[in-house]
Amino acid sequence: MRIDILTLFPNMVKGPLKESILKRAQEKGLVKINVLDIRSFTHNKHRTADDAPYGGGAGMVLKPEPIFEAVEFIESKVPRKVATLPRGRQGPKSKVKVILMSPQGKRFDQGMAKRMAKERHLIFICGHYEGIDERIKRVVTDEISIGDYVLTGGELASLVVIDALVRLIPGVLGKEESIIRDSFYSGLLDHPHYTRPEEYRGMRVPKILLSGDHKRIASWRRKEILRRTLKRRPDLLEEIKLSNEDKRLIKEIKGE
Ligand code: ADE
């Protein structure tokens, strides 16, 4: 996969790309991430990428020209042909997605991350200041928000999306890590975890976790998953199919 990030603040995104899983995914050649400064696509001496809004008002608006030119530049660098994959294997989608990060976008979630992990090429446009010229939307295929709050720009938001999708690209996580990832994302909240010491400042690890009885431990964990989800995010329980055992555990929790 190829990812391009268009930003007025390249240093804001470069650091996190050099750490942990994102770094490893690039080293393994599973994703190539480029950070482009929107100002390099301006033509005047002051490298102006924004201007005052027509109609008046406070703040500055991101100009359309550097964005159009940057997207055209990136597209000119990318080979159009997709390698043919063996039959039965779903290949990456061939069209480039141009994603505008903005609080007005569709709310990002794990389902979107999964779909995006199958793309071949993603271009992220980080909006900044008070707004962007509406004509930029002509090159945009998707507008994404990471939540109902306003950041100073799309940089941190694009990193959130990139982090969430890159770890879903096959091969990015090791076998063990993938198992943890898949069990972690069941659509419900996670159960509590403990490690040594067995007792810390009077707080004890639940006895069952020390019992070595894997069946009972699995049942305890499932119950804690359901307990937490029921308490903090009951809406998530509406989204998944509960087994008869889940229903029994929920009844038990409610009766406690
Ligand atoms: N830019 C500013 N706020 C944002 C948000 N919540 N999501 C995505 N991009 C943003």
Side-chain angles (χ1 to χ4, degrees):
M1 178 188 294
R2 175 181 166 136
I3 296 177
D4 293 278
I5 308 172
L6 288 177
T7 169
L8 288 166
F9 302 98
N11 290 336
M12 225 168 144
V13 291
K14 279 184 180 166
L17 300 175
K18 289 188 210 146
E19 303 285 343
S20 184
I21 305 286
L22 288 175
K23 176 185 175 188
R24 224 166 70 196
Q26 292 170 89
E27 283 172 354
K28 283 185 180 174
L30 295 167
V31 61
K32 168 105 184 72
I33 309 180
N34 306 302
V35 181
L36 292 100
D37 188 342
I38 293 171
R39 285 187 211 284
S40 2
F41 298 91
T42 56
H43 300 292
N44 66 350
K45 187 168 82 196
H46 301 290
R47 311 215 308 155
T48 343
D50 56 356
D51 207 339
Y54 274 119
M60 298 291 264
V61 176
L62 196 59
K63 289 163 70 60
E65 308 96 305
I67 300 294
F68 272 71
E69 288 186 31
V71 170
E72 283 160 6
F73 169 79
I74 295 163
E75 290 189 326
S76 76
K77 297 272 168 221
V78 179
R80 281 255 148 244
K81 279 208 182 107
V82 193
T84 335
L85 285 156
R87 254 202 301 188
R89 251 189 70 197
Q90 206 208 333
K93 307 233 176 83
S94 58
K95 274 257 173 69
V96 51
K97 286 233 182 276
V98 182
I99 298 150
L100 174 67
M101 298 309 302
S102 105
Q104 276 90 48
K106 187 162 179 237
R107 177 95 65 90
F108 184 64
D109 62 17
Q110 191 70 10
M112 278 164 94
K114 277 188 192 162
R115 289 191 291 278
M116 288 169 85
K118 296 193 180 119
E119 296 291 340
R120 185 172 71 112
H121 186 188
L122 303 170
I123 301 175
F124 286 86
I125 301 173
C126 305
H128 229 279
Y129 304 137
E130 287 74 14
I132 62 151
D133 188 291
E134 193 63 19
R135 290 166 291 188
I136 289 173
K137 304 265 175 81
R138 180 70 65 88
V139 296
V140 168
T141 59
D142 300 84
E143 193 169 344
I144 296 180
S145 163
I146 60 160
D148 292 338
Y149 40 81
V150 182
L151 303 167
T152 50
E155 283 76 12
L156 297 175
S158 69
L159 286 171
V160 166
V161 172
I162 291 166
D163 186 280
L165 75 90
V166 166
R167 60 196 291 285
L168 301 178
I169 297 172
V172 166
L173 298 185
K175 210 170 172 200
E176 286 275 292
E177 291 168 320
S178 303
I179 292 166
I180 294 167
R181 176 197 70 195
D182 294 343
S183 66
F184 182 76
Y185 198 76
S186 60
L188 301 177
L189 304 185
D190 197 13
H191 58 76
H193 298 263
Y194 293 89
T195 185
R196 273 187 278 262
E198 208 177 302
E199 191 201 319
Y200 183 65
R201 299 195 182 194
M203 295 176 282
R204 299 198 69 88
V205 173
K207 273 232 152 36
I208 187 146
L209 297 178
L210 313 170
S211 69
D213 184 339
H214 298 298
K215 227 173 135 191
R216 284 186 58 224
I217 291 172
S219 173
W220 180 86
R221 285 183 170 156
R222 185 69 189 171
K223 191 170 176 182
E224 294 311 306
I225 285 172
L226 294 167
R227 190 195 305 281
R228 264 196 187 166
T229 311
L230 202 59
K231 192 161 174 216
R232 301 183 194 172
R233 293 290 307 278
D235 56 302
L236 295 177
L237 288 166
E238 310 289 319
E239 305 290 320
I240 68 150
K241 193 160 162 30
L242 296 169
S243 67
N244 286 339
E245 175 64 5
D246 285 340
K247 287 178 194 156
R248 191 189 67 75
L249 289 169
I250 288 174
K251 224 184 228 163
E252 231 174 69
I253 294 164
K254 285 183 173 167
E256 281 169 10

